[in-house]
Amino acid sequence: MEESNNNLERELEECRRAYRKRTTQFTKLLKQSKEMTANLRLNFDGIVHLLGDIITQASPIMGGHTKRTAALARSISQAMRLNPDRRRLVFYAASLHDLSLTGREQNWLDEENRDWLDHPDRSADLIAVVKNLGRIAATVRSHHEYYNGEGFPRGLRGEEIPLESRIITAALSYDRSVALRKIPVDTTLESMEAGGRFDPQVLEHLSSIIRSEDERRRRGDRLILLEELTPGMELADDLILANGLVLYPRGTILDEETRTRIINFDGMFPESGLIRVYGAGQ
């Protein structure tokens, strides 16, 4: 009996050792997988920013609009507490929503122009060529669909339109009105709220963000060093590199990823590393 118990104990110890070994191997593989995923995401973020810079070089006004739209859309998605994957989807799609119009700035805002009417499908088709970007392409395809069904290209309405697309539609419409057509903020918001084109929940968050931005500006801004940047701060000016490209537009609310990217560009700004911000951060 004693020998049998000893044999059993040895077998159990071997099982425990094998389990610990497999657990260690699994933990190592899981860590490697997370690192690979993080690196792939960083690479893709870099590609999206590169495309944004190309759009800006080809069409500076369009590039500025695209970056402001992406920043505002991301802020709305954060305010709506979307999960990180959906927030990234909003940012990527907003950054690429006018991809097919690059270099066509002359007729860019002409809503009767055929290129304009076709551009949601054309931009989505360009993105869909890249494998695994189907969700981004679908979001871009619907970025001119309106909540009341009067949009294009398919005339979707309400919940038929992806939430991410509804966010981008509101953000780009606000920027086109205020930044490009110079319509006052209050007039723009009143028009957007009255027309039935936009998701009321999205509009509520957009309006809250804009009102909060105005309040922060009334409280004043300040200059800080790059290393003093913290998540939660808002850029008071466009962040422009020495080559003239806009890295991030004014109004961008910093998160940890954005903060890290700005710091990594240290030495590429035309001034001495001072950045004007609103807010004290988190």
Side-chain angles (χ1 to χ4, degrees), residues 62-230:
M62 185 186 299
H65 161 72
T66 297
K67 292 193 175 187
R68 289 190 302 271
T69 295
L72 179 56
R74 179 162 57 183
S75 294
I76 296 171
S77 70
Q78 290 170 338
M80 296 183 73
R81 300 185 182 279
L82 300 192
N83 66 47
D85 285 341
R86 295 186 76 183
R87 293 201 301 267
R88 278 189 287 271
L89 173 58
V90 167
F91 179 75
Y92 294 151
S95 297
L96 302 174
H97 73 275
D98 281 343
L99 185 62
S100 68
L101 293 175
T102 303
R104 304 181 187 188
E105 200 165 86
Q106 183 177 0
N107 298 318
W108 176 39
L109 294 179
D110 180 3
E111 298 188 12
E112 300 302 320
N113 183 278
R114 190 67 206 174
D115 284 341
W116 171 261
L117 296 175
D118 289 344
H119 86 270
D121 278 333
R122 293 175 57 155
S123 295
D125 290 344
L126 285 172
I127 296 166
V129 170
V130 181
K131 188 177 181 181
N132 298 325
L133 298 189
R135 290 181 66 202
I136 297 176
T139 302
V140 168
R141 198 177 299 279
S142 296
H143 79 270
H144 275 293
E145 301 287 357
Y146 292 131
Y147 204 69
N148 60 6
E150 295 179 356
F152 62 94
R154 290 171 292 170
L156 302 180
R157 69 170 56 239
E159 301 295 320
E160 295 174 344
I161 308 166
L163 175 58
E164 292 82 359
S165 301
R166 283 178 263 153
I167 290 172
I168 295 169
T169 302
L172 72 87
S173 297
Y174 175 84
D175 186 77
R176 285 176 61 202
S177 179
V178 172
L180 300 182
R181 292 176 171 153
K182 308 303 180 184
I183 298 173
V185 169
D186 288 341
T187 303
T188 294
L189 291 176
E190 288 172 6
S191 175
M192 291 178 71
E193 290 165 0
R197 287 185 163 192
F198 307 100
D199 182 331
Q201 184 183 13
V202 172
L203 267 186
E204 180 181 348
H205 287 286
L206 183 151
S207 180
S208 177
I209 289 166
I210 299 305
R211 305 297 185 198
S212 296
E213 179 182 340
D214 287 344
E215 177 62 27
R216 281 192 293 272
R217 287 176 179 169
R218 281 193 291 270
R219 292 201 303 266
D221 55 33
R222 59 200 176 96
L223 285 170
I224 63 171
L225 296 170
L226 276 176
E227 55 266 27
E228 295 176 314
L229 289 172
T230 59

Side-chain angles (χ1 to χ4, degrees), residues 225-244:
L225 296 170
L226 276 176
E227 55 266 27
E228 295 176 314
L229 289 172
T230 59
M233 289 180 174
E234 176 186 348
L235 295 180
D237 301 311
D238 289 344
L239 196 55
I240 301 174
L241 300 178
N243 60 8

Side-chain angles (χ1 to χ4, degrees), residues 25-38:
Q25 291 173 336
F26 176 77
T27 302
K28 183 178 179 181
L29 289 172
L30 183 60
K31 181 181 178 181
Q32 291 174 341
S33 176
K34 288 182 177 179
E35 290 174 350
M36 290 176 63
T37 299

